[in-house]
Each structure stands twice: as structure tokens, then as C-alpha cells.
Amino acid sequence: MKRHAIITGAVAAVTAIATAAALPTLALAQDGKSAEQLAQHGAAQRIATVGAANAKNVILFIGDGMGDSEITVARDYLKGANGSFDGLDKIGQPNLSGAKENGTGQYTTFSLGGSSKDAGKPVVTPVTDSAASGSGWATGTKTYNNAVSVDSSQNPQLNLIELAKAKGLATGNVTTAEIQDATPAVLESHSTQRSCYGPQGKTDGSSDNSAKNCDVAQLKQNGGIGSISEQLLDTRADVTIGGGSKYFNQTAQAGEYAGKTLWEQAKERGFQTVENDVDAFSALAYKENQPVLALLGSGNLPTQFNNTPALTQKLTEQRGAIQCSTNPSWLGNKNASGNSASLADMTDKAIDLLRANPKSSSKGFFLQVEGASIDKQDHAANACGQIGETDDLDKAISAALKKVDLSNTLIIVTADHAHTSQIVSEPPAYALSTILKSPVDGAQIVVSYGTATVADTDAENTSKGYNDGGMEHTGTQLRIAASGPGASRVDGLTDQTDNFYTIAKALGLAADTSAQNALSSGAKVSVKDGVAQVTGFDGDAVLGYQLQDTETGTVLASSNNDTAVSGVRVVTGDTTTIDFNGVKGFDPSTSTYTLTVTGKQSGTKVATEFGLTSNGASNVVVAPKTGDKAADNAKQAGLGGALVGALGKTGTRILGTVMVALALAVAGGLLAAWRRGLFVRK
């Protein structure tokens, strides 16, 4: 063997070892990562290196529970087997959308735990719920079922609305569900339990079951960031439309608004509020610094079609083929004033309000629209119910297409998880089913539901038709389609977390952890009349603080830092206030104090001194002092020492760097040996 061949082979081999060490996942690129690896922010991406075109606006349409089967059931019934939806089937189709860039693909939706019991010990879970799935596309981080925009260790992760607000975009959130439900909640809150609707839990305010529905550490009276509804008011999206009005009758238990209902709080904080009033909703118009909170039903909004419960084989055959009928309670029906509030109406209104907002003109907007009850009616084995909700979503997409320009607006249509309904040839003996007759082509469509226990006899309650609490989600991959700038990023097989990056890259938002941390680099703190004014912590969802007497070092007040959801919720893109009036021993007219505020996500630390000074002036603010982010993050993570902290955060990268250096050193030694003639030809 020639000497140059020896050295070339040696260097190549060592380089390969170094590359494998530096990028360990590449060695097993065809295999899945471990749950621990997947729990890191962005780790589940399948197309991390794929770029995206810039879009001024993004609209994300979510059909909750809208798997391929649910789309097919609705299309076959409403449009005929050879028909097409006017909106749903246009997106991603180059010959239909009119957009220059289009994409269609499938994405995976698995989660990292079956419930909050799995927090801190991620385990790959093939079937997701809406909370974990929504958290995936809202934050880019995989998590456990039941989690709302917190990771598998319950640390809050910045979501798309927070990041859009940090960049100055207008933001909107629309749903046919309760606004506190998982899919809308992931964009406006962080919660370890998806059921933590309000300070009294999941009630109308007349009772309190918060201990059942919330981690008590998250409640404001216990020093936490608050319930989903309370955080919604802090997030302050420009447009919020949906159901769930009854939960705003709950009463705040702590803070500036203690003793007041959330509706009262919303009005005092400058929201335009609409409660169960379609006419008032229709009359809404943009008003500066007055975000819209329009909740049009006490709970989930009524469905378009009436209930048609699936039955056992014998009863289904006896009932025969049926057709769907319109629900008179559906808000899409015109009222006496000629107004309506279908999902299409809500989408139309949201786009009008966002486009009228000056932020939209200069920066653009992000809007999420959810057709929520495809899932809820699938759970109920209600074929007509899920068909009507799919139709409602389709019409909402059509409404958006009439409003926006696909040369600067990216529209994405997908779902959060698949569901149970299947088209089969005959009513099965092993499952519940419904026979539908399409009003378009006359086809008889047998829809089967087979993921819940069927009653033992045919004498079951035909309004329910199943036992054990309803039909279940399934774990199959889902359709995703897009039209507009960056649409081709959804092609092929992706993951739901890729959707976060597709949207963030299109809008130029801070997507990775370092970019998000940098959003807090301009943080400032000032104190006036005993109230701290905190701004610029845009890379954080939660703040911690400590108030000390500067001379004695005595700590007079501090935030609760027991858990990741303890502390002060950041008022996104605005001023967060912390009131120290009433704190024992606090008197800025006689003493000087140091207030230190720490961003729990970024690690940014700002200390400001105020109170009595040598010239007798009060409320004098010193220049902010930024702390050691790496050390703060390591301390927050419970890691001992800078090296351990660094390895805990970026151990793979550090190990890879060391291995590359070692490999290069070895390669250098081999080359030197060759030059000295130590390699002998055999």
C-alpha cells in the first residue's frame, strides 16, 4: 500500500469517527431518537436544515381530530366521492390555490407521556392529545399529554403568539371550542394541566374545583403564574374569539384584581369584550390599544348539524341510511338582525380586525383558526356532527382565501391528531356505525367507530351508543397542506414541531433557544410609587424577583420559585407590574432598595436601585445590570457548577467538539508519522 493511501485512509477514518461523535444522531439517522433527546426544544424536527421564504402574514387552520378519514367522510357526503372542498382541498394544490408556492405532506404527532404523571420522565407515546400536539406546533417542543406549552419537565416554552408579539406583529386566536380548550390555550398560556381553566378551576365561578384541575403552585394566590384564562389576559392577543364565556365569571383570588371577575378584569384592562352576543360580535371594529375578547357561548359553540349517534350493527341496519339536518342553535344561522357567527364569520371578522391594526400594516399578522368540534363529535361517534364541523372549517378557509394575497400570506391547513371514524363496506358486528346517504351522488357511506366498548345488547341508550367515555384518538400521521411563501416546507414527511419552525421562519420569529433568550437582552426595570415597571423580557414567559434593603441586605419580598410555573407571568410585549406597597418594612422615603428581576427562561437578570439617595431624591433608577445567563440557567435547572450546567444544556455539542479536536490531533499525529517515514510499505 502506498504511503499516501495509508494516510488518506487513516485521516478519513478518524474524520468519520469525529463526525459521528460530534453529530451522534447522524450515525443512526434512520432510527428514532430517545425520549430524552426528543424532549429538547426542536429536537423532533425532521427538516431542521430546510429554509423557508419570508411571508408577511401566516394563517394556521387546525381541524381538531381531522385525520385523513374524517376529511374523506365529510367530502364523500357533502361533495360526492369525486368532489372537492372549496377551501380545504384548494390549499396545497398548485392548479387550484393560485399561489406560486404550494406544498402537501404528512406529519407525525406522537407525544412524550400519557399525562402529567410522566412529567420529568419523558416516554414516547404514539397517541397524542390536543394539548401535547398543540404545544408541539405552538412552541417547537414535544411534551406530555395534558401539557399546555410547557416542556416534559413543565418548564414554560415560548409560543408563536408571544414570539409574534415580541416582533411587533398583530396576533389572533379563533376557535369554535371554549377559548380555554387545549388548541387555543397553547397560544395564550402555559399550564401543567390543560383543565386549569380559571382561578376556580373548570367551573362557572359558583364553585371551586381548582385543586382538582390545576397544579396548586400555578395559582396566583400561591405565587404562581395563574390559570389559562388569567394568562390569556396577560398574553393580550389582539383578537381572541371563541366560546367559554362562563369561565370568565370566575373571580381572581390574588393580585391587583383580587375579588373581581375575569370579565371585570378584562374590561378594566382595556379589552373590547363581547359576551354571548352575535350582534355585538358583528359590530366589532378595530380600536387602538383595545384588543378584542369575544366569547360567543358559555361552553363549546353549537355544531352545524344535529346529532346522529352511531349504533350497533342491528340497530344501524334497522335505522337505514340517513341524511344530516341543520342544528337550529348553530351560530352560523342568520338571526333576526341578519347576523351570524359561523367559523367563516369569525375568521372573516378576525382578518378584518387584524388588517385594520397598524401593526399588521407595518409588520404583518399571525392568526390561528380552529375547527374544534370535528374531534368532539368524533369522540361522540356522531358522523353528522363531525361532517358539519369539517364543512364549517372548509368555509372558513374559503373566507380567508377571499381576504388575503397568497403572494405575501402563508396559509397552512392541518390537524392535531387523527381519530376513530372509518369508511367501511358494511355495518360491522364489532363496532358502532352509521349509514349515510350522500345528497350529492346518492352513495351509501357506512361510517364505523371502533375505539370504545360497545354495549352488550341492542337495548343500549341510542343517544350514546358506547361505553367507557367515548371514542379515542389514533396515532396515524396527518395531512398537512400549505399555499403561499414557504409552503413547500411541508412537503414529504415532517413532524408537528416542524410546523412551529415553518411558521417562525416565514415570519422571521426567534425560533431557537439562543435567539429567544436574546429577546430579553433589552430588559429594563424601574420603580415608581412602590410599583415596579418591568419591560423587555420578551424572551421569557415567567419572571422571578427579589427585593432587598440595599444597606442591610435584608430580603423584604421575593417571588415564589418553587416550580417552573411559580413566579410572575410576563405581560407579553408590554409592561409587567409588581406592586410592593404593603410589604412589611418597605418605605422608599427612608431607605434605599435593590430590586433584582430574573427571566426564568432566558436567565437574564436586571438589578435596579431606588428609594432614598444622598440627595434625598426617590425613584432614582441605576443602569440595569445583566447577570450571568449560563450560571443562572444552570442554577434554575438545579445543576451544580458551571461545567455540569454546561454539559446539562449542551453536553452532546461539547462532547462532539472535544471528539473533533481529538480526531484532528490524531490525524495530525498520523501525518507527522508519515513524514518521518514511520509507515512502511508491506
Side-chain angles (χ1 to χ4, degrees):
M1 181 183 291
K2 294 181 180 180
R3 284 191 293 174
H4 75 83
I6 295 173
I7 192 62
T8 299
V11 171
V14 172
T15 302
I17 294 170
T19 302
L23 299 170
T25 57
L26 291 184
L28 299 172
Q30 301 303 309
D31 298 325
K33 300 176 184 177
S34 69
E36 289 76 14
Q37 291 172 316
L38 290 165
Q40 302 304 309
H41 175 65
Q45 294 178 80
R46 294 180 181 273
I47 52 169
T49 60
V50 176
N54 293 328
K56 185 176 182 181
N57 314 305
V58 173
I59 305 176
L60 172 62
F61 285 96
I62 298 292
D64 198 309
M66 188 181 70
D68 287 350
S69 183
E70 284 69 34
I71 295 172
T72 308
V73 168
R75 186 193 297 112
D76 282 7
Y77 178 80
L78 293 168
K79 306 295 180 181
N82 194 42
S84 296
F85 282 113
D86 294 330
L88 186 59
D89 289 332
K90 249 180 201 177
I91 301 300
Q93 291 290 93
N95 61 317
L96 297 176
S97 73
K100 290 183 179 179
E101 188 174 352
N102 297 276
T104 58
Q106 297 280 309
Y107 75 8
T108 50
T109 65
F110 63 92
S111 61
L112 292 180
S115 72
S116 55
K117 294 179 181 178
D118 293 321
K121 47 182 180 182
V123 55
V124 172
T125 305
V127 181
T128 187
D129 77 338
S130 295
S133 182
S135 297
W137 78 70
T139 71
T141 307
K142 288 281 186 183
T143 190
Y144 60 87
N145 292 347
N146 207 36
V148 175
S149 289
V150 298
D151 66 15
S152 60
S153 296
Q154 301 188 328
N155 296 305
Q157 305 288 294
L158 294 182
N159 61 50
L160 286 167
I161 281 187
E162 290 169 325
L163 294 170
K165 286 178 68 69
K167 197 182 178 189
L169 277 70
T171 56
N173 195 3
V174 174
T175 181
T176 55
E178 297 160 338
I179 198 64
Q180 303 86 354
D181 203 9
T183 302
V186 297
L187 290 178
E188 300 204 33
S189 63
H190 306 272
S191 183
T192 60
Q193 307 281 353
R194 64 179 287 179
S195 59
C196 190
Y197 274 27
Q200 279 88 61
K202 198 171 180 180
T203 74
D204 62 2
S206 61
S207 60
D208 188 332
N209 63 10
S210 56
K212 175 182 178 182
N213 290 316
C214 307
D215 279 349
V216 293
Q218 185 176 313
L219 297 172
K220 286 197 172 184
Q221 61 266 35
N222 298 322
I225 60 178
S227 64
I228 290 169
S229 293
E230 291 170 295
Q231 291 185 62
L232 180 151
L233 298 176
D234 290 330
T235 300
R236 205 175 175 84
D238 296 288
V239 179
T240 302
I241 304 172
S245 64
K246 66 183 178 184
Y247 303 109
F248 272 71
N249 293 327
Q250 295 187 35
T251 304
Q253 301 297 296
E256 180 182 354
Y257 301 99
K260 296 180 179 179
T261 69
L262 302 189
W263 277 120
E264 291 170 333
Q265 181 182 157
K267 291 169 185 174
E268 288 190 22
R269 295 178 72 169
F271 282 80
Q272 289 190 71
T273 60
V274 173
E275 184 178 0
N276 305 342
D277 188 335
V278 171
D279 290 336
F281 161 75
S282 298
L284 282 168
Y286 171 76
K287 295 181 181 179
E288 187 175 2
N289 296 323
Q290 294 187 50
V292 165
L293 176 61
L295 304 185
L296 302 177
S298 61
N300 299 314
L301 302 184
T303 60
Q304 180 177 182
F305 289 158
N306 286 315
N307 188 29
T308 54
L311 305 174
T312 55
Q313 182 184 52
K314 181 178 178 181
L315 291 178
T316 297
E317 291 173 343
Q318 288 177 353
R319 183 172 62 180
I322 60 173
Q323 292 188 335
C324 303
S325 59
T326 300
N327 177 5
S329 299
W330 180 49
L331 297 183
N333 298 318
K334 299 285 186 183
N335 65 12
S337 302
N339 295 317
S340 58
S342 66
L343 186 57
D345 294 323
M346 293 191 286
T347 301
D348 197 73
K349 176 64 71 174
I351 293 173
D352 284 347
L353 290 167
L354 292 172
R355 290 174 65 178
N357 190 321
K359 290 187 290 187
S360 177
S361 300
S362 59
K363 298 283 189 177
F365 68 79
F366 169 68
L367 170 64
Q368 177 177 285
V369 178
E370 182 200 21
S373 287
I374 303 168
D375 166 81
K376 298 179 192 310
Q377 300 311 308
D378 218 329
H379 277 302
N382 178 11
C384 282
Q386 73 185 59
I387 288 169
E389 297 311 287
T390 309
D391 182 49
D392 209 17
L393 179 67
D394 171 59
K395 291 172 180 173
I397 299 167
S398 294
L401 285 170
K402 294 174 183 176
K403 290 276 186 182
V404 302
D405 183 350
L406 292 180
S407 68
N408 67 7
T409 300
L410 171 63
I411 293 181
I412 301 172
V413 179
T414 189
D416 53 354
H417 55 75
H419 227 303
T420 186
S421 63
Q422 293 288 326
I423 298 176
V424 297
S425 58
E426 299 286 344
Y430 57 84
L432 301 173
S433 61
T434 294
I435 306 171
L436 299 170
K437 182 177 181 180
S438 169
V440 177
D441 60 13
Q444 289 203 4
I445 307 162
V446 180
V447 185
S448 172
Y449 297 87
T451 57
T453 304
V454 179
D456 293 332
T457 71
D458 286 341
E460 80 248 19
N461 179 352
T462 58
S463 67
K464 189 173 182 182
Y466 52 82
N467 294 330
D468 297 339
M471 300 296 161
E472 299 297 331
H473 303 169
T474 61
T476 189
Q477 61 193 38
L478 295 169
R479 180 180 187 267
I480 181 169
S483 293
S488 59
R489 207 170 184 275
V490 310
D491 283 341
L493 179 64
T494 60
D495 181 75
Q496 68 196 170
T497 54
D498 283 304
N499 203 7
F500 166 82
Y501 288 91
T502 296
I503 295 168
K505 287 183 178 184
L507 293 174
L509 308 182
D512 61 44
T513 301
S514 60
Q516 291 177 4
N517 289 344
L519 293 176
S520 288
S521 61
K524 296 180 180 179
V525 179
S526 63
V527 183
K528 183 177 181 180
D529 298 328
V531 179
Q533 310 285 323
V534 184
T535 59
F537 277 93
D538 291 333
D540 293 278
V542 184
L543 301 176
Y545 66 84
Q546 180 175 274
L547 177 67
Q548 284 182 295
D549 185 302
T550 305
E551 294 183 4
T552 67
T554 302
V555 176
L556 301 181
S558 62
S559 59
N560 185 331
N561 297 313
D562 290 346
T563 71
V565 290
S566 300
V568 178
R569 177 71 164 91
V570 174
V571 179
T572 308
D574 209 325
T575 301
T576 304
T577 60
I578 309 172
D579 191 344
F580 295 111
N581 290 299
V583 171
K584 185 177 180 180
F586 176 66
D587 185 356
S589 66
T590 61
S591 298
T592 301
Y593 301 93
T594 300
L595 173 63
T596 304
V597 179
T598 304
K600 288 196 170 186
Q601 281 64 53
S602 70
T604 300
K605 184 178 291 186
V606 176
T608 188
E609 195 172 86
F610 67 96
L612 185 69
T613 65
S614 58
N615 62 6
S618 61
N619 302 319
V620 174
V621 181
V622 300
K625 308 164 194 173
T626 303
D628 182 343
K629 292 184 183 181
D632 289 340
N633 282 332
K635 183 178 179 182
Q636 180 185 334
L639 303 171
L643 179 60
V644 176
L647 287 173
K649 291 285 184 182
T650 55
T652 299
R653 186 177 62 205
I654 292 172
L655 179 61
T657 303
V658 171
M659 291 300 293
V660 168
L662 178 62
L664 292 175
V666 173
L670 290 172
L671 182 59
W674 169 74
R675 285 174 174 168
R676 294 196 305 270
L678 296 181
F679 286 113
V680 180
R681 185 175 180 179
K682 297 285 186 179

mmCIF file of all heavy atoms in Angstrom, residues 179-195:
data_model
loop_
_atom_site.group_PDB
_atom_site.id
_atom_site.type_symbol
_atom_site.label_atom_id
_atom_site.label_comp_id
_atom_site.label_asym_id
_atom_site.label_seq_id
_atom_site.Cartn_x
_atom_site.Cartn_y
_atom_site.Cartn_z
ATOM 1 N N ILE A 179 -62.455 28.916 24.664
ATOM 2 C CA ILE A 179 -61.156 29.527 24.375
ATOM 3 C C ILE A 179 -60.073 28.974 25.291
ATOM 4 O O ILE A 179 -58.879 29.054 24.988
ATOM 5 C CB ILE A 179 -61.249 31.069 24.482
ATOM 6 C CG1 ILE A 179 -60.082 31.736 23.767
ATOM 7 C CG2 ILE A 179 -61.352 31.517 25.926
ATOM 8 C CD1 ILE A 179 -60.038 31.516 22.273
ATOM 9 N N GLN A 180 -60.479 28.371 26.409
ATOM 10 C CA GLN A 180 -59.524 27.760 27.342
ATOM 11 C C GLN A 180 -59.155 26.340 26.936
ATOM 12 O O GLN A 180 -58.279 25.728 27.566
ATOM 13 C CB GLN A 180 -60.123 27.737 28.763
ATOM 14 C CG GLN A 180 -60.539 29.084 29.303
ATOM 15 C CD GLN A 180 -61.947 29.495 28.897
ATOM 16 O OE1 GLN A 180 -62.619 28.815 28.106
ATOM 17 N NE2 GLN A 180 -62.413 30.612 29.426
ATOM 18 N N ASP A 181 -59.806 25.796 25.907
ATOM 19 C CA ASP A 181 -59.535 24.435 25.470
ATOM 20 C C ASP A 181 -58.103 24.343 24.936
ATOM 21 O O ASP A 181 -57.476 25.349 24.599
ATOM 22 C CB ASP A 181 -60.548 24.022 24.406
ATOM 23 C CG ASP A 181 -60.707 22.516 24.292
ATOM 24 O OD1 ASP A 181 -60.177 21.793 25.141
ATOM 25 O OD2 ASP A 181 -61.383 22.072 23.342
ATOM 26 N N ALA A 182 -57.603 23.138 24.822
ATOM 27 C CA ALA A 182 -56.178 22.920 24.593
ATOM 28 C C ALA A 182 -55.616 23.660 23.384
ATOM 29 O O ALA A 182 -54.591 24.343 23.486
ATOM 30 C CB ALA A 182 -55.917 21.417 24.452
ATOM 31 N N THR A 183 -56.260 23.532 22.219
ATOM 32 C CA THR A 183 -55.681 24.091 20.995
ATOM 33 C C THR A 183 -55.551 25.604 21.046
ATOM 34 O O THR A 183 -54.488 26.142 20.715
ATOM 35 C CB THR A 183 -56.482 23.633 19.765
ATOM 36 O OG1 THR A 183 -56.478 22.203 19.728
ATOM 37 C CG2 THR A 183 -55.889 24.176 18.488
ATOM 38 N N PRO A 184 -56.577 26.354 21.433
ATOM 39 C CA PRO A 184 -56.357 27.798 21.578
ATOM 40 C C PRO A 184 -55.476 28.152 22.768
ATOM 41 O O PRO A 184 -54.719 29.126 22.728
ATOM 42 C CB PRO A 184 -57.771 28.366 21.733
ATOM 43 C CG PRO A 184 -58.605 27.226 22.202
ATOM 44 C CD PRO A 184 -58.001 25.999 21.594
ATOM 45 N N ALA A 185 -55.551 27.346 23.844
ATOM 46 C CA ALA A 185 -54.805 27.671 25.062
ATOM 47 C C ALA A 185 -53.302 27.640 24.856
ATOM 48 O O ALA A 185 -52.568 28.398 25.502
ATOM 49 C CB ALA A 185 -55.194 26.718 26.189
ATOM 50 N N VAL A 186 -52.803 26.786 23.956
ATOM 51 C CA VAL A 186 -51.349 26.670 23.792
ATOM 52 C C VAL A 186 -50.724 27.945 23.249
ATOM 53 O O VAL A 186 -49.511 28.146 23.364
ATOM 54 C CB VAL A 186 -50.970 25.479 22.876
ATOM 55 C CG1 VAL A 186 -51.407 24.165 23.491
ATOM 56 C CG2 VAL A 186 -51.541 25.638 21.460
ATOM 57 N N LEU A 187 -51.540 28.827 22.667
ATOM 58 C CA LEU A 187 -51.017 30.081 22.127
ATOM 59 C C LEU A 187 -51.153 31.248 23.097
ATOM 60 O O LEU A 187 -50.650 32.338 22.824
ATOM 61 C CB LEU A 187 -51.732 30.440 20.819
ATOM 62 C CG LEU A 187 -51.421 29.553 19.625
ATOM 63 C CD1 LEU A 187 -52.224 29.987 18.420
ATOM 64 C CD2 LEU A 187 -49.927 29.597 19.301
ATOM 65 N N GLU A 188 -51.834 31.051 24.223
ATOM 66 C CA GLU A 188 -52.055 32.183 25.114
ATOM 67 C C GLU A 188 -51.750 31.865 26.576
ATOM 68 O O GLU A 188 -52.019 32.691 27.451
ATOM 69 C CB GLU A 188 -53.501 32.683 24.975
ATOM 70 C CG GLU A 188 -53.821 33.143 23.554
ATOM 71 C CD GLU A 188 -54.962 34.138 23.471
ATOM 72 O OE1 GLU A 188 -55.126 34.934 24.401
ATOM 73 O OE2 GLU A 188 -55.680 34.118 22.474
ATOM 74 N N SER A 189 -51.163 30.689 26.849
ATOM 75 C CA SER A 189 -50.907 30.354 28.251
ATOM 76 C C SER A 189 -49.867 29.248 28.342
ATOM 77 O O SER A 189 -49.467 28.648 27.351
ATOM 78 C CB SER A 189 -52.202 29.907 28.938
ATOM 79 O OG SER A 189 -52.702 28.719 28.344
ATOM 80 N N HIS A 190 -49.464 29.003 29.597
ATOM 81 C CA HIS A 190 -48.560 27.904 29.937
ATOM 82 C C HIS A 190 -49.155 27.236 31.162
ATOM 83 O O HIS A 190 -49.336 27.878 32.200
ATOM 84 C CB HIS A 190 -47.156 28.420 30.242
ATOM 85 C CG HIS A 190 -46.592 29.272 29.149
ATOM 86 N ND1 HIS A 190 -45.895 28.749 28.083
ATOM 87 C CD2 HIS A 190 -46.645 30.611 28.941
ATOM 88 C CE1 HIS A 190 -45.540 29.729 27.265
ATOM 89 N NE2 HIS A 190 -45.990 30.872 27.769
ATOM 90 N N SER A 191 -49.473 25.954 31.045
ATOM 91 C CA SER A 191 -50.131 25.275 32.158
ATOM 92 C C SER A 191 -49.687 23.825 32.217
ATOM 93 O O SER A 191 -49.610 23.144 31.189
ATOM 94 C CB SER A 191 -51.657 25.341 32.005
ATOM 95 O OG SER A 191 -52.308 24.748 33.098
ATOM 96 N N THR A 192 -49.420 23.357 33.415
ATOM 97 C CA THR A 192 -49.034 21.959 33.584
ATOM 98 C C THR A 192 -50.226 21.029 33.434
ATOM 99 O O THR A 192 -50.054 19.829 33.224
ATOM 100 C CB THR A 192 -48.410 21.744 34.970
ATOM 101 O OG1 THR A 192 -49.364 22.101 35.975
ATOM 102 C CG2 THR A 192 -47.160 22.591 35.140
ATOM 103 N N GLN A 193 -51.461 21.592 33.539
ATOM 104 C CA GLN A 193 -52.691 20.819 33.385
ATOM 105 C C GLN A 193 -53.619 21.568 32.417
ATOM 106 O O GLN A 193 -53.915 22.743 32.645
ATOM 107 C CB GLN A 193 -53.415 20.655 34.729
ATOM 108 C CG GLN A 193 -52.566 20.092 35.852
ATOM 109 C CD GLN A 193 -52.404 18.590 35.760
ATOM 110 O OE1 GLN A 193 -53.034 17.931 34.929
ATOM 111 N NE2 GLN A 193 -51.563 18.030 36.595
ATOM 112 N N ARG A 194 -54.102 20.899 31.402
ATOM 113 C CA ARG A 194 -54.963 21.562 30.429
ATOM 114 C C ARG A 194 -56.322 21.949 31.006
ATOM 115 O O ARG A 194 -57.032 22.768 30.432
ATOM 116 C CB ARG A 194 -55.160 20.668 29.192
ATOM 117 C CG ARG A 194 -55.876 19.363 29.466
ATOM 118 C CD ARG A 194 -56.062 18.524 28.208
ATOM 119 N NE ARG A 194 -57.086 19.076 27.327
ATOM 120 C CZ ARG A 194 -57.431 18.556 26.152
ATOM 121 N NH1 ARG A 194 -56.814 17.461 25.712
ATOM 122 N NH2 ARG A 194 -58.359 19.110 25.416
ATOM 123 N N SER A 195 -56.699 21.372 32.141
ATOM 124 C CA SER A 195 -58.012 21.648 32.743
ATOM 125 C C SER A 195 -58.011 22.863 33.668
ATOM 126 O O SER A 195 -59.047 23.197 34.245
ATOM 127 C CB SER A 195 -58.495 20.426 33.523
ATOM 128 O OG SER A 195 -57.569 20.086 34.548
#
